[in-house]
Amino acid sequence: MILKGMALLDRYAPGRGNPSLVSLKLYNFFIYGAISIFAGFLQLYLQEIGMTKLEIGSLMAIGPFVSLFANPFWGFWSDKSRNIRIILMMMMGGTFVLAQAVFYAPTYAWIYAAMIFFYFFQSPLFAQTNSLILGYIDGTNQKFGTFRLWGSLGWALTAVAAGPLIDRLGAGSVSIVFAFMIVIAFVFALFLPRQPIASDTPVVSFRRFGRVMFNPYFMIFIGLGVLVSVPNAMNSTFMSLYIVEMGGDKQMVGWAIFTSSILEVGVFLLLDRFLKRKMGMLLSSLILISLLFAIRWQLMALANNPLEIVFIQLMHSITFGGYFYVGTQLTMLFIPRPYRSSGQAVYTMAWGGLSGVIAGLFGGWLFQSFGAEVMYNIGVFFSLIGAVGFAIMWFSNRRNGYQPTVLTEMGER
Protein backbone atom coordinates (compact mmCIF):
# COMPACT_ATOMS: atom_id res chain seq x y z
CA MET A 1 0.00 0.00 0.00
CA ILE A 2 2.80 2.39 0.96
CA LEU A 3 4.74 1.58 -2.21
CA LYS A 4 1.65 2.18 -4.37
CA GLY A 5 1.17 5.59 -2.75
CA MET A 6 4.82 6.45 -3.33
CA ALA A 7 4.55 5.46 -6.98
CA LEU A 8 1.43 7.59 -7.41
CA LEU A 9 3.13 10.64 -5.91
CA ASP A 10 6.15 10.15 -8.14
CA ARG A 11 3.96 9.93 -11.25
CA TYR A 12 2.82 13.51 -10.78
CA ALA A 13 6.09 14.86 -9.38
CA PRO A 14 8.46 16.98 -11.47
CA GLY A 15 11.45 15.17 -12.83
CA ARG A 16 9.67 11.89 -13.49
CA GLY A 17 11.84 9.51 -15.48
CA ASN A 18 15.12 10.88 -14.14
CA PRO A 19 16.67 7.99 -12.16
CA SER A 20 18.80 10.27 -9.98
CA LEU A 21 15.76 12.29 -8.88
CA VAL A 22 13.72 9.16 -8.15
CA SER A 23 16.58 7.81 -6.04
CA LEU A 24 16.79 11.15 -4.24
CA LYS A 25 13.11 10.95 -3.28
CA LEU A 26 13.38 7.38 -2.06
CA TYR A 27 16.59 8.14 -0.17
CA ASN A 28 14.72 10.95 1.65
CA PHE A 29 11.84 8.60 2.46
CA PHE A 30 14.00 5.96 4.10
CA ILE A 31 16.55 8.18 5.87
CA TYR A 32 13.78 10.19 7.54
CA GLY A 33 11.91 6.97 8.31
CA ALA A 34 15.00 5.53 10.00
CA ILE A 35 15.56 8.58 12.19
CA SER A 36 11.86 8.72 13.14
CA ILE A 37 12.23 5.25 14.67
CA PHE A 38 15.24 6.29 16.71
CA ALA A 39 13.84 9.67 17.75
CA GLY A 40 10.35 8.43 18.59
CA PHE A 41 10.98 5.14 20.38
CA LEU A 42 14.49 5.26 21.90
CA GLN A 43 13.17 7.05 25.01
CA LEU A 44 10.74 4.20 25.66
CA TYR A 45 13.57 1.67 25.38
CA LEU A 46 15.68 3.69 27.83
CA GLN A 47 12.78 3.90 30.28
CA GLU A 48 12.21 0.16 29.90
CA ILE A 49 15.80 -0.59 30.97
CA GLY A 50 15.41 1.56 34.08
CA MET A 51 16.47 5.13 33.29
CA THR A 52 14.70 8.10 34.94
CA LYS A 53 13.34 11.07 32.98
CA LEU A 54 16.29 13.24 34.04
CA GLU A 55 18.76 10.54 32.99
CA ILE A 56 16.96 10.14 29.65
CA GLY A 57 16.97 13.92 29.13
CA SER A 58 20.69 14.08 29.95
CA LEU A 59 21.41 11.24 27.53
CA MET A 60 19.33 12.81 24.75
CA ALA A 61 21.18 16.11 25.32
CA ILE A 62 24.42 14.40 24.28
CA GLY A 63 23.30 14.36 20.65
CA PRO A 64 22.61 18.08 20.35
CA PHE A 65 25.85 18.85 22.20
CA VAL A 66 27.89 16.66 19.85
CA SER A 67 26.08 18.21 16.88
CA LEU A 68 27.52 21.61 17.83
CA PHE A 69 30.84 20.23 16.59
CA ALA A 70 29.67 17.56 14.15
CA ASN A 71 27.51 19.83 11.97
CA PRO A 72 30.24 22.39 11.17
CA PHE A 73 32.79 19.56 10.76
CA TRP A 74 30.79 17.58 8.19
CA GLY A 75 29.44 20.74 6.56
CA PHE A 76 32.94 22.10 6.00
CA TRP A 77 34.19 18.84 4.52
CA SER A 78 31.14 18.54 2.28
CA ASP A 79 31.97 21.97 0.85
CA LYS A 80 35.67 21.13 0.71
CA SER A 81 35.27 17.75 -1.00
CA ARG A 82 32.44 18.98 -3.29
CA ASN A 83 30.88 15.53 -3.00
CA ILE A 84 28.04 15.52 -0.47
CA ARG A 85 26.88 12.04 -1.54
CA ILE A 86 30.10 10.35 -0.38
CA ILE A 87 30.06 12.33 2.87
CA LEU A 88 26.47 11.22 3.50
CA MET A 89 27.33 7.58 2.86
CA MET A 90 30.20 7.79 5.37
CA MET A 91 27.81 9.30 7.92
CA MET A 92 25.17 6.60 7.32
CA GLY A 93 27.76 3.84 7.74
CA GLY A 94 28.87 5.25 11.09
CA THR A 95 25.24 5.78 12.16
CA PHE A 96 24.36 2.14 11.41
CA VAL A 97 27.29 0.64 13.35
CA LEU A 98 27.04 2.91 16.38
CA ALA A 99 23.25 2.57 16.71
CA GLN A 100 23.73 -1.14 17.27
CA ALA A 101 26.36 -0.32 19.89
CA VAL A 102 23.78 1.82 21.75
CA PHE A 103 21.18 -0.96 21.91
CA TYR A 104 23.60 -3.74 22.81
CA ALA A 105 25.70 -1.79 25.31
CA PRO A 106 26.10 -3.78 28.58
CA THR A 107 26.08 -0.78 30.96
CA TYR A 108 24.77 2.81 31.15
CA ALA A 109 28.34 4.07 30.78
CA TRP A 110 28.70 2.20 27.49
CA ILE A 111 25.37 3.63 26.30
CA TYR A 112 26.58 7.17 26.98
CA ALA A 113 29.89 6.52 25.17
CA ALA A 114 28.15 4.92 22.15
CA MET A 115 25.67 7.82 21.91
CA ILE A 116 28.50 10.35 21.69
CA PHE A 117 29.96 8.69 18.61
CA PHE A 118 26.53 7.83 17.18
CA TYR A 119 25.45 11.47 17.17
CA PHE A 120 28.73 12.58 15.62
CA PHE A 121 27.67 10.71 12.47
CA GLN A 122 23.87 11.01 12.71
CA SER A 123 23.15 14.59 13.81
CA PRO A 124 24.29 16.32 10.57
CA LEU A 125 22.40 13.91 8.26
CA PHE A 126 19.39 16.16 7.72
CA ALA A 127 21.45 19.31 7.09
CA GLN A 128 23.60 17.58 4.50
CA THR A 129 20.53 15.96 2.94
CA ASN A 130 19.04 19.44 2.50
CA SER A 131 22.25 20.61 0.84
CA LEU A 132 22.15 17.55 -1.42
CA ILE A 133 18.61 18.39 -2.55
CA LEU A 134 19.43 22.06 -3.09
CA GLY A 135 22.50 21.11 -5.11
CA TYR A 136 20.58 18.82 -7.45
CA ILE A 137 17.76 21.30 -8.09
CA ASP A 138 19.93 24.42 -8.39
CA GLY A 139 19.39 26.00 -11.81
CA THR A 140 16.35 23.81 -12.57
CA ASN A 141 12.60 24.31 -12.20
CA GLN A 142 12.47 21.70 -9.43
CA LYS A 143 11.21 22.77 -5.98
CA PHE A 144 12.80 21.93 -2.62
CA GLY A 145 9.46 20.95 -1.07
CA THR A 146 8.77 18.37 -3.80
CA PHE A 147 11.74 16.34 -2.55
CA ARG A 148 11.57 17.17 1.16
CA LEU A 149 7.94 15.96 1.37
CA TRP A 150 9.23 12.43 0.76
CA GLY A 151 11.11 12.75 4.04
CA SER A 152 7.88 13.73 5.79
CA LEU A 153 6.13 10.71 4.28
CA GLY A 154 8.94 8.45 5.44
CA TRP A 155 8.83 9.90 8.94
CA ALA A 156 5.05 9.59 9.27
CA LEU A 157 4.38 6.23 7.59
CA THR A 158 7.34 4.45 9.18
CA ALA A 159 6.39 5.60 12.68
CA VAL A 160 2.75 4.54 12.40
CA ALA A 161 3.70 1.18 10.85
CA ALA A 162 6.43 0.49 13.40
CA GLY A 163 4.33 1.44 16.46
CA PRO A 164 2.24 -1.79 16.62
CA LEU A 165 5.31 -3.91 15.76
CA ILE A 166 7.42 -2.40 18.55
CA ASP A 167 4.46 -2.61 20.94
CA ARG A 168 4.18 -6.35 20.22
CA LEU A 169 7.90 -7.23 20.17
CA GLY A 170 9.10 -4.82 22.85
CA ALA A 171 11.20 -1.65 22.76
CA GLY A 172 14.33 -3.72 22.11
CA SER A 173 13.13 -4.30 18.52
CA VAL A 174 13.75 -0.62 17.75
CA SER A 175 17.33 -1.49 16.77
CA ILE A 176 16.19 -4.01 14.12
CA VAL A 177 13.68 -1.66 12.47
CA PHE A 178 16.18 1.21 12.51
CA ALA A 179 18.93 -0.92 10.94
CA PHE A 180 16.58 -2.12 8.17
CA MET A 181 15.62 1.45 7.21
CA ILE A 182 19.15 2.87 7.28
CA VAL A 183 20.45 0.07 5.01
CA ILE A 184 17.75 0.78 2.40
CA ALA A 185 18.53 4.51 2.53
CA PHE A 186 22.21 3.69 1.94
CA VAL A 187 21.32 1.59 -1.11
CA PHE A 188 19.37 4.43 -2.71
CA ALA A 189 22.23 6.84 -1.97
CA LEU A 190 24.45 4.56 -4.07
CA PHE A 191 22.35 5.41 -7.14
CA LEU A 192 22.82 9.17 -6.75
CA PRO A 193 25.35 10.54 -9.26
CA ARG A 194 28.02 13.01 -8.25
CA GLN A 195 26.77 16.56 -8.56
CA PRO A 196 28.39 18.73 -11.26
CA ILE A 197 30.69 21.46 -9.94
CA ALA A 198 30.94 24.77 -11.76
CA SER A 199 34.48 25.58 -12.90
CA ASP A 200 34.34 29.02 -11.29
CA THR A 201 33.35 27.69 -7.85
CA PRO A 202 35.93 29.05 -5.38
CA VAL A 203 37.89 26.77 -3.08
CA VAL A 204 36.52 26.70 0.46
CA SER A 205 38.89 27.89 3.19
CA PHE A 206 38.63 28.28 6.97
CA ARG A 207 39.16 32.05 6.63
CA ARG A 208 36.26 32.52 4.23
CA PHE A 209 34.12 30.11 6.24
CA GLY A 210 34.52 32.30 9.33
CA ARG A 211 33.77 35.53 7.48
CA VAL A 212 30.58 34.14 5.99
CA MET A 213 29.24 32.40 9.09
CA PHE A 214 29.58 35.38 11.40
CA ASN A 215 27.57 37.95 9.51
CA PRO A 216 25.27 39.72 12.03
CA TYR A 217 21.91 39.05 10.32
CA PHE A 218 22.62 35.34 10.11
CA MET A 219 23.75 35.15 13.74
CA ILE A 220 20.63 36.97 15.01
CA PHE A 221 18.47 34.62 12.93
CA ILE A 222 20.32 31.65 14.46
CA GLY A 223 19.91 32.99 18.01
CA LEU A 224 16.17 33.53 17.64
CA GLY A 225 15.89 30.09 16.06
CA VAL A 226 17.40 28.56 19.21
CA LEU A 227 14.74 30.24 21.35
CA VAL A 228 11.89 28.99 19.18
CA SER A 229 13.33 25.50 18.82
CA VAL A 230 14.00 24.77 22.52
CA PRO A 231 10.33 23.95 23.31
CA ASN A 232 10.07 21.99 20.05
CA ALA A 233 13.09 19.92 21.10
CA MET A 234 11.58 19.41 24.57
CA ASN A 235 8.41 18.12 22.93
CA SER A 236 10.37 15.79 20.62
CA THR A 237 12.33 14.38 23.57
CA PHE A 238 9.53 13.93 26.08
CA MET A 239 6.28 13.61 24.11
CA SER A 240 6.40 9.80 24.08
CA LEU A 241 6.94 9.73 27.86
CA TYR A 242 4.10 12.24 28.30
CA ILE A 243 1.75 9.96 26.33
CA VAL A 244 2.72 6.86 28.34
CA GLU A 245 2.40 8.83 31.58
CA MET A 246 -1.21 9.65 30.60
CA GLY A 247 -1.98 5.97 29.99
CA GLY A 248 -1.18 5.67 26.27
CA ASP A 249 0.79 2.82 24.67
CA LYS A 250 3.53 2.57 22.02
CA GLN A 251 0.95 2.37 19.24
CA MET A 252 -0.43 5.72 20.44
CA VAL A 253 3.12 7.10 20.29
CA GLY A 254 3.36 5.91 16.68
CA TRP A 255 0.10 7.67 15.80
CA ALA A 256 1.33 10.88 17.46
CA ILE A 257 4.48 10.79 15.31
CA PHE A 258 2.32 10.05 12.25
CA THR A 259 -0.02 13.01 12.82
CA SER A 260 2.92 15.28 13.55
CA SER A 261 4.37 14.92 10.08
CA ILE A 262 1.82 13.56 7.59
CA LEU A 263 0.45 17.03 6.73
CA GLU A 264 3.98 18.31 6.04
CA VAL A 265 3.49 16.96 2.51
CA GLY A 266 0.76 19.52 1.85
CA VAL A 267 2.62 22.26 3.74
CA PHE A 268 5.74 21.89 1.59
CA LEU A 269 3.75 21.81 -1.65
CA LEU A 270 1.80 24.94 -0.67
CA LEU A 271 4.95 26.80 0.39
CA ASP A 272 6.66 25.81 -2.86
CA ARG A 273 3.74 27.22 -4.81
CA PHE A 274 2.85 30.40 -2.94
CA LEU A 275 5.75 31.55 -0.73
CA LYS A 276 8.10 33.96 -2.48
CA ARG A 277 11.79 33.64 -1.68
CA LYS A 278 12.17 37.24 -0.50
CA MET A 279 13.70 38.29 2.81
CA GLY A 280 10.68 40.29 4.01
CA MET A 281 8.16 37.60 3.14
CA LEU A 282 10.22 34.87 4.82
CA LEU A 283 10.76 36.89 8.01
CA SER A 284 7.06 37.73 8.29
CA SER A 285 6.33 34.00 7.92
CA LEU A 286 8.58 33.27 10.89
CA ILE A 287 6.61 35.73 13.04
CA LEU A 288 3.38 33.85 12.28
CA ILE A 289 5.01 30.44 12.79
CA SER A 290 6.39 31.49 16.20
CA LEU A 291 2.92 32.59 17.30
CA LEU A 292 1.48 29.25 16.16
CA PHE A 293 4.20 27.50 18.18
CA ALA A 294 3.02 29.42 21.27
CA ILE A 295 -0.58 28.26 20.69
CA ARG A 296 0.60 24.67 20.19
CA TRP A 297 2.52 24.57 23.49
CA GLN A 298 -0.41 26.13 25.35
CA LEU A 299 -2.67 23.37 24.04
CA MET A 300 -0.14 20.73 25.10
CA ALA A 301 -0.05 22.20 28.60
CA LEU A 302 -3.84 21.94 28.81
CA ALA A 303 -4.11 18.38 27.40
CA ASN A 304 -5.94 15.84 29.58
CA ASN A 305 -5.52 12.53 27.69
CA PRO A 306 -3.24 10.85 25.09
CA LEU A 307 -5.74 11.25 22.24
CA GLU A 308 -5.68 15.04 22.66
CA ILE A 309 -1.88 14.96 22.33
CA VAL A 310 -2.17 12.94 19.11
CA PHE A 311 -4.47 15.56 17.54
CA ILE A 312 -2.43 18.52 18.81
CA GLN A 313 0.56 17.05 16.95
CA LEU A 314 -1.20 17.95 13.69
CA MET A 315 0.09 21.48 14.33
CA HIS A 316 3.67 20.15 14.04
CA SER A 317 3.36 20.02 10.26
CA ILE A 318 2.58 23.74 10.11
CA THR A 319 4.92 24.93 12.88
CA PHE A 320 8.02 22.76 12.52
CA GLY A 321 7.42 22.11 8.79
CA GLY A 322 6.96 25.82 8.14
CA TYR A 323 9.98 26.87 10.21
CA PHE A 324 12.15 24.18 8.64
CA TYR A 325 11.22 25.24 5.10
CA VAL A 326 11.46 29.00 5.69
CA GLY A 327 14.70 28.68 7.66
CA THR A 328 16.30 26.62 4.89
CA GLN A 329 15.35 29.25 2.31
CA LEU A 330 16.56 32.13 4.50
CA THR A 331 19.90 30.39 5.02
CA MET A 332 20.29 30.27 1.23
CA LEU A 333 19.78 34.05 1.10
CA PHE A 334 22.16 34.74 3.98
CA ILE A 335 24.99 32.45 2.78
CA PRO A 336 26.86 32.54 -0.59
CA ARG A 337 26.56 29.43 -2.75
CA PRO A 338 30.00 27.80 -2.08
CA TYR A 339 29.25 27.78 1.66
CA ARG A 340 25.66 26.56 1.64
CA SER A 341 26.46 23.12 3.09
CA SER A 342 28.23 24.87 5.95
CA GLY A 343 25.36 27.36 6.30
CA GLN A 344 22.78 24.58 6.45
CA ALA A 345 24.99 22.79 8.99
CA VAL A 346 25.11 25.86 11.25
CA TYR A 347 21.34 26.35 10.87
CA THR A 348 20.71 22.72 11.84
CA MET A 349 23.29 22.96 14.63
CA ALA A 350 21.26 25.77 16.20
CA TRP A 351 17.87 24.14 15.59
CA GLY A 352 18.78 20.63 16.70
CA GLY A 353 22.08 21.18 18.51
CA LEU A 354 22.25 24.01 21.00
CA SER A 355 18.48 23.99 21.52
CA GLY A 356 18.56 20.23 22.01
CA VAL A 357 21.17 20.49 24.75
CA ILE A 358 19.02 23.04 26.57
CA ALA A 359 15.88 20.99 25.97
CA GLY A 360 17.40 17.72 27.21
CA LEU A 361 18.86 19.11 30.44
CA PHE A 362 16.48 21.97 31.25
CA GLY A 363 13.42 20.15 29.88
CA GLY A 364 14.29 16.93 31.72
CA TRP A 365 14.64 18.86 34.98
CA LEU A 366 11.34 20.71 34.41
CA PHE A 367 9.45 17.51 33.48
CA GLN A 368 10.75 15.53 36.45
CA SER A 369 10.49 18.35 39.03
CA PHE A 370 7.34 20.24 37.97
CA GLY A 371 5.58 18.13 35.35
CA ALA A 372 4.81 18.50 31.65
CA GLU A 373 2.38 21.40 32.10
CA VAL A 374 5.08 23.74 33.44
CA MET A 375 7.52 22.56 30.76
CA TYR A 376 5.09 23.43 27.96
CA ASN A 377 4.15 26.79 29.53
CA ILE A 378 7.84 27.74 29.46
CA GLY A 379 7.70 26.83 25.76
CA VAL A 380 4.89 29.35 25.23
CA PHE A 381 7.09 32.09 26.74
CA PHE A 382 10.11 31.21 24.55
CA SER A 383 7.99 31.18 21.38
CA LEU A 384 6.53 34.62 22.10
CA ILE A 385 10.02 36.08 22.60
CA GLY A 386 11.03 34.56 19.25
CA ALA A 387 8.02 36.15 17.53
CA VAL A 388 9.00 39.59 18.88
CA GLY A 389 12.61 39.10 17.73
CA PHE A 390 11.60 38.13 14.19
CA ALA A 391 9.24 41.14 14.09
CA ILE A 392 12.21 43.42 14.90
CA MET A 393 14.27 41.74 12.16
CA TRP A 394 11.41 42.21 9.68
CA PHE A 395 11.10 45.90 10.56
CA SER A 396 14.88 46.41 10.23
CA ASN A 397 14.94 44.67 6.85
CA ARG A 398 11.98 46.70 5.61
CA ARG A 399 13.64 49.93 6.69
CA ASN A 400 17.31 49.28 5.85
CA GLY A 401 17.29 46.28 3.51
CA TYR A 402 19.85 43.47 3.62
CA GLN A 403 23.20 43.31 1.83
CA PRO A 404 24.64 39.77 1.70
CA THR A 405 28.30 39.05 2.36
CA VAL A 406 30.36 39.06 -0.86
CA LEU A 407 33.77 37.41 -1.08
CA THR A 408 36.40 38.05 -3.70
CA GLU A 409 38.97 35.50 -4.85
CA MET A 410 41.28 36.48 -2.03
CA GLY A 411 38.52 36.25 0.56
CA GLU A 412 38.28 40.03 1.01
CA ARG A 413 35.00 41.79 1.18
Side-chain angles (χ1 to χ4, degrees):
M1 184 71 179
I2 292 175
L3 291 176
K4 285 183 179 179
M6 291 163 62
L8 183 62
L9 270 175
D10 193 57
R11 182 182 302 172
Y12 295 102
R16 182 188 175 217
N18 186 328
S20 68
L21 296 186
V22 172
S23 296
L24 183 59
K25 294 167 188 171
L26 294 174
Y27 160 77
N28 268 272
F29 182 94
F30 285 101
I31 195 64
Y32 274 84
I35 303 304
S36 77
I37 297 298
F38 201 88
F41 296 96
L42 175 65
Q43 299 92 325
L44 300 178
Y45 167 76
L46 297 174
Q47 184 171 258
E48 194 172 273
I49 63 174
M51 283 190 169
T52 67
K53 292 181 179 68
L54 185 56
E55 287 173 332
I56 292 172
S58 300
L59 183 62
M60 300 307 289
I62 289 176
F65 178 75
V66 172
S67 77
L68 296 175
F69 309 96
N71 269 294
F73 174 85
W74 290 107
F76 177 84
W77 286 108
S78 290
D79 289 330
K80 187 78 172 176
S81 68
R82 305 183 185 184
N83 195 335
I84 301 176
R85 183 181 71 96
I86 295 299
I87 297 295
L88 277 169
M89 291 171 68
M90 292 171 58
M91 290 161 60
M92 282 188 283
T95 297
F96 173 84
V97 172
L98 290 159
Q100 305 314 304
V102 170
F103 285 102
Y104 294 103
T107 65
Y108 286 174
W110 277 100
I111 291 177
Y112 275 88
M115 288 288 279
I116 291 173
F117 292 102
F118 168 82
Y119 279 118
F120 180 76
F121 288 92
Q122 182 272 324
S123 58
L125 273 174
F126 288 163
Q128 296 311 305
T129 295
N130 293 341
S131 296
L132 187 76
I133 296 171
L134 293 168
Y136 276 115
I137 68 176
D138 191 35
T140 73
N141 61 353
Q142 308 289 341
K143 299 290 187 178
F144 175 77
T146 303
F147 294 88
R148 176 55 180 81
L149 67 82
W150 284 82
S152 297
L153 283 173
W155 187 282
L157 296 177
T158 301
V160 76
L165 178 65
I166 294 171
D167 203 27
R168 179 184 294 269
L169 300 179
S173 62
V174 172
S175 63
I176 300 172
V177 182
F178 175 81
F180 176 75
M181 297 294 290
I182 204 81
V183 167
I184 297 178
F186 187 91
V187 170
F188 282 114
L190 287 172
F191 290 95
L192 295 173
R194 178 166 179 155
Q195 293 172 286
I197 303 296
S199 59
D200 59 346
T201 301
V203 176
V204 172
S205 68
F206 282 107
R207 180 183 179 186
R208 292 178 178 179
F209 175 81
R211 291 176 68 87
V212 170
M213 290 302 111
F214 289 97
N215 87 66
Y217 252 77
F218 185 58
M219 287 295 100
I220 293 171
F221 162 66
I222 291 297
L224 292 172
V226 170
L227 267 180
V228 174
S229 62
V230 164
N232 186 74
M234 288 193 295
N235 181 71
S236 298
T237 302
F238 298 107
M239 180 191 67
S240 58
L241 300 181
Y242 191 27
I243 289 174
V244 171
E245 191 176 83
M246 283 190 171
D249 55 17
K250 296 179 182 68
Q251 187 169 354
M252 188 73 76
V253 172
W255 278 108
I257 298 171
F258 174 83
T259 56
S260 72
S261 54
I262 189 60
L263 294 183
E264 282 184 4
V265 174
V267 170
F268 287 133
L269 289 175
L270 288 172
L271 291 173
D272 267 345
R273 185 173 181 84
F274 297 110
L275 187 65
K276 296 180 180 179
R277 207 178 75 178
K278 294 183 178 180
M279 187 76 68
M281 175 70 74
L282 295 174
L283 287 172
S284 62
S285 298
L286 290 184
I287 300 170
L288 176 60
I289 290 168
S290 299
L291 292 174
L292 290 174
F293 263 127
I295 295 172
R296 179 184 172 193
W297 307 137
Q298 188 61 68
L299 291 173
M300 287 292 286
L302 298 173
N304 293 312
N305 61 70
L307 190 59
E308 288 182 18
I309 296 175
V310 170
F311 283 110
I312 293 169
Q313 295 313 302
L314 287 169
M315 293 186 69
H316 182 86
S317 297
I318 301 170
T319 50
F320 172 77
Y323 194 97
F324 179 92
Y325 183 98
V326 173
T328 300
Q329 302 300 318
L330 267 175
T331 300
M332 288 183 65
L333 296 182
F334 284 128
I335 304 300
R337 180 178 176 180
Y339 298 85
R340 283 180 182 170
S341 287
S342 300
Q344 296 297 336
V346 172
Y347 167 58
T348 303
M349 177 187 70
W351 179 264
L354 185 57
S355 61
V357 174
I358 299 170
L361 298 176
F362 183 53
W365 174 73
L366 284 173
F367 196 173
Q368 183 159 301
S369 303
F370 304 102
E373 182 178 350
V374 171
M375 182 183 74
Y376 282 112
N377 279 324
I378 295 293
V380 174
F381 177 68
F382 282 5
S383 299
L384 291 175
I385 294 177
V388 172
F390 287 125
I392 294 172
M393 280 191 75
W394 174 85
F395 179 78
S396 175
N397 176 73
R398 184 177 177 85
R399 185 172 183 177
N400 305 316
Y402 170 73
Q403 191 70 0
T405 301
V406 178
L407 300 174
T408 67
E409 289 184 1
M410 298 303 293
E412 301 297 332
R413 194 165 174 208

